[in-house]
């Protein structure tokens, strides 16, 4: 992990890299992601299933993971061959990866909210999927969303380089599975009412939320024909960002209200789940989030990539978000 | 769909192709599958999760889908390049595909058995996963098994041709997802107590069980560098076999007992689910199974492949099985 404090790599004050208009970047990229998700989710599915899948995915969510994929793709694009057609295939791979990772996130929320798990009734300000459609359709919709994620990565007859398709499947499967997100959820499940130390808490979150956030960065970086040396630095960035996200989540769970969060607040404390706030106290948790933020930015500076402004701006957003 | 009645393509009576010792073939191939599953399932997972995953997969199951993958791989292997190393990579891909498709099957059983779905307590003669471990661990184990299936197909740093890895991910995702198995389960869920006609029943089963069985055949056929023209014929074989499997399943649901089936018998009728037997009557359902069997064998004969004996023998097993 990198700890060096560096100049902020968003390009502010640099003569060679102009300031990024992050609001415009967000707007244009979110539009592409929303359109692609709407085009791809639930199409061709039996009616009830397709409806539940779309409900789970569309009209909600900050799309942090897809934006990380696209920002990482842009950071490595400079290493690509100048062949415009090939570059466009890599861009398509990134858009597919962006949607795929969001589908994994969305399915995990659907299953997490079910009565046998967190039994939550409110998500993104709407009734959760099993409240709206019933438990069995929610279970199936989650399962189908996971399959669709992989289907998006390896489209039949596609011109996306096969090595990129295979690498994306590999990265997503590992981020989602027993040594990633699902494994973290299992540890979480087993740790209710258990006193974890900071190492154990970090390991749980590294898997539960960190793996998919880091995976998003790695997937974006994999959408290039060049096998860039920068990938290790981007992995560091993703690891720090993933942990920062969770620390901030724990902070917001005690400082924000349900209306702002769009979900039930204070649940972790109520369920006696270990959090960074319960372990470190609020103030030290906030300091920890800032340190992780700096680690993420330092990793970008160390990557040697010419333009990591969008990745830096996303790290800022993760740490400074209000919900 | 092919309807021509042909000579039995297992090679019996042919001067060029010797009889296949199917018992020995089954034994050696099952051994490889069981060993590989044991090597790959639950390794590196948090303890409780890994245990539930292994419980769901190991020590049970007829492994029909893995055997179909391996038999289809062998049928197309003759078209491969003579390069022994490349062939061994293709063989490894087939073993991975065999395990992956079994993991999808296993996860679907875990989720299907849950209280919000079929609420079944007995599977392969053992308590179902949620009875043994609880509902939340069962849900997570199923989710992690699906992710692991795709992880197996695209191993990091593997020498398996990337085109084969991508194609396997594509085939498995489509067979498992909303236009495959999960879609069929959604139709099944929505059709309890509903009078389906034969076309609707066929469409439900084509997705619910047929897609993964046909997918197994297609995945095995994809484990070759040669893009064989025989794939269309193998798709016909897989479609007929998949439907035959379900017709026989419906027959066994009324003719076999729980001890033989290893699961609760008569459930479909008790739950007022449409079946081939309820639609056609027992005798016509049996005739239909025979006709599908002949279609499967005819497709093999039409494939032009030099050795489809194992595939033919598996079709025989599907139709003549007692459980």
């Amino acid at each position: 992990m990198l700890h060096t404090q560096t100049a902020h790599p968003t390009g502010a004050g640099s003569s060679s890299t102009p300031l990024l208009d992050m609001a415009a970047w967000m707007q244009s990229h979110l539009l592409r992601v929303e359109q692609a998700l709407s085009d791809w989710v639930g199409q061709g599915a039996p009616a009830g299933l397709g409806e539940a899948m779309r409900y789970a995915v569309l009209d909600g969510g900050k799309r942090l993971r897809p934006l990380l994929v696209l920002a990482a793709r842009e950071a490595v694009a400079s290493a690509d061959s100048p062949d415009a057609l090939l570059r466009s295939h890599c861009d398509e791979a990134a858009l597919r990866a962006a949607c795929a990772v969001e589908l994994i996130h969305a399915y995990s929320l659907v299953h997490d909210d079910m009565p046998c798990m967190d039994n939550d009734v409110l998500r993104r300000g709407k009734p959760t999927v099993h409240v709206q459609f019933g438990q069995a359709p929610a279970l199936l919709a989650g399962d189908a969303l996971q399959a669709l994620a992989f289907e998006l990565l390896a489209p039949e007859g596609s011109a996306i380089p096969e090595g990129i398709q295979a690498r994306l499947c590999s990265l997503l499967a590992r981020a989602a599975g027993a040594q990633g997100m699902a494994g973290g959820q299992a540890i979480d499940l087993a740790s209710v009412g258990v006193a974890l130390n900071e190492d154990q808490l970090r390991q749980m979150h590294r898997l539960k939320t960190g793996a998919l956030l880091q995976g998003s960065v790695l997937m974006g970086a994999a959408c290039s024909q060049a096998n860039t040396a920068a990938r290790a630095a981007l992995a560091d960035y993703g690891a720090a960002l993933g942990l920062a996200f969770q620390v901030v989540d724990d902070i917001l769970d005690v400082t924000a209200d349900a209306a702002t969060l769009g979900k039930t607040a204070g649940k972790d404390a109520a369920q006696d789940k270990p959090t960074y706030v319960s372990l470190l106290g609020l103030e030290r948790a906030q300091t920890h989030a800032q340190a992780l933020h700096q680690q993420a930015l330092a990793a970008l500076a160390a990557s040697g990539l010419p333009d990591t402004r969008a990745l830096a701006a996303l790290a800022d957003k993760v740490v400074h978000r209000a919900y």
Side-chain angles (χ1 to χ4, degrees), chain A:
Chain A
M1 192 65 76
L2 298 157
H3 288 274
T4 324
Q5 176 81 40
T6 64
H8 198 297
T10 53
S14 154
S15 58
S16 61
T17 319
L19 267 172
L20 178 67
D21 180 349
M22 194 59 191
W25 188 95
M26 293 275 290
Q27 192 180 13
S28 67
H29 287 67
L30 281 172
L31 202 66
R32 285 176 63 208
V33 169
E34 295 298 334
Q35 183 62 52
L37 286 171
S38 180
D39 287 347
W40 287 331
V41 177
Q43 304 298 348
L49 179 64
E51 197 189 344
M53 292 168 74
R54 293 175 70 81
Y55 182 90
V57 174
L58 304 179
D59 302 323
K62 298 183 284 288
R63 314 302 191 202
L64 170 61
R65 292 157 193 81
L67 293 175
L68 283 169
V69 174
L70 297 178
R73 157 66 189 147
E74 291 178 9
V76 300
S78 61
D80 275 2
S81 129
D83 178 337
L85 187 61
L86 191 55
R87 291 176 74 102
S88 79
H89 293 319
C90 293
D91 287 338
E92 187 202 334
L95 184 59
R96 289 179 170 276
C99 292
V101 79
E102 186 70 7
L103 297 190
I104 294 292
H105 176 56
Y107 110 70
S108 79
L109 298 182
V110 174
H111 284 184
D112 257 8
D113 287 338
M114 285 181 67
C116 69
M117 298 278 288
D118 285 353
N119 194 20
D120 228 323
V121 297
L122 188 65
R123 169 72 66 183
R124 293 171 179 169
K126 297 188 301 183
T128 46
V129 176
H130 69 273
V131 169
Q132 187 76 10
F133 294 92
Q135 288 187 53
L139 180 59
L140 282 178
D143 290 343
L145 287 171
Q146 179 165 201
L148 180 58
F150 292 98
E151 193 176 339
L152 288 185
L153 297 181
E156 200 181 4
S158 159
I160 295 169
E162 289 163 337
I164 291 180
Q165 295 182 47
R167 174 103 179 125
L168 290 174
C169 288
S170 175
L171 287 167
L172 186 63
R174 279 184 288 146
Q179 299 185 64
M181 184 184 75
Q185 288 172 308
I187 297 174
D188 190 24
L189 204 62
S191 62
V192 173
V194 174
L196 301 186
N197 62 31
E198 191 177 342
D199 277 351
Q200 293 167 320
L201 190 66
R202 185 186 301 115
Q203 169 64 1
M204 174 177 94
H205 289 310
R206 194 180 65 75
L207 299 180
K208 189 182 167 206
T209 49
L212 200 57
L213 287 164
Q214 188 186 39
S216 303
V217 177
L218 295 177
M219 288 172 77
C223 293
S224 167
Q225 289 239 288
N227 196 351
T228 70
R231 281 188 192 158
L234 290 181
D236 286 344
Y237 162 86
L241 178 99
L243 207 49
F245 180 91
Q246 188 59 50
V247 176
V248 172
D249 224 48
D250 287 354
I251 292 169
L252 291 173
D253 191 63
V254 297
T255 60
D257 58 27
T260 309
L261 285 178
K263 62 182 177 182
T264 312
K267 278 213 69 148
D268 292 338
Q271 293 181 347
D272 197 18
K273 284 193 177 182
T275 74
Y276 278 97
V277 175
S278 68
L279 189 75
L280 303 177
L282 185 58
E283 197 174 331
R284 279 183 60 213
Q286 284 167 331
T287 308
H288 191 41
Q290 299 303 327
L292 290 165
H293 185 197
Q294 292 308 316
Q295 281 181 31
L297 298 179
L300 292 183
S303 73
L305 292 168
D307 183 1
T308 57
R309 291 172 299 166
L311 286 172
L314 288 172
D316 295 348
K317 277 202 171 290
V318 161
V319 176
H320 298 131
R321 69 202 160 103
Y323 63 95

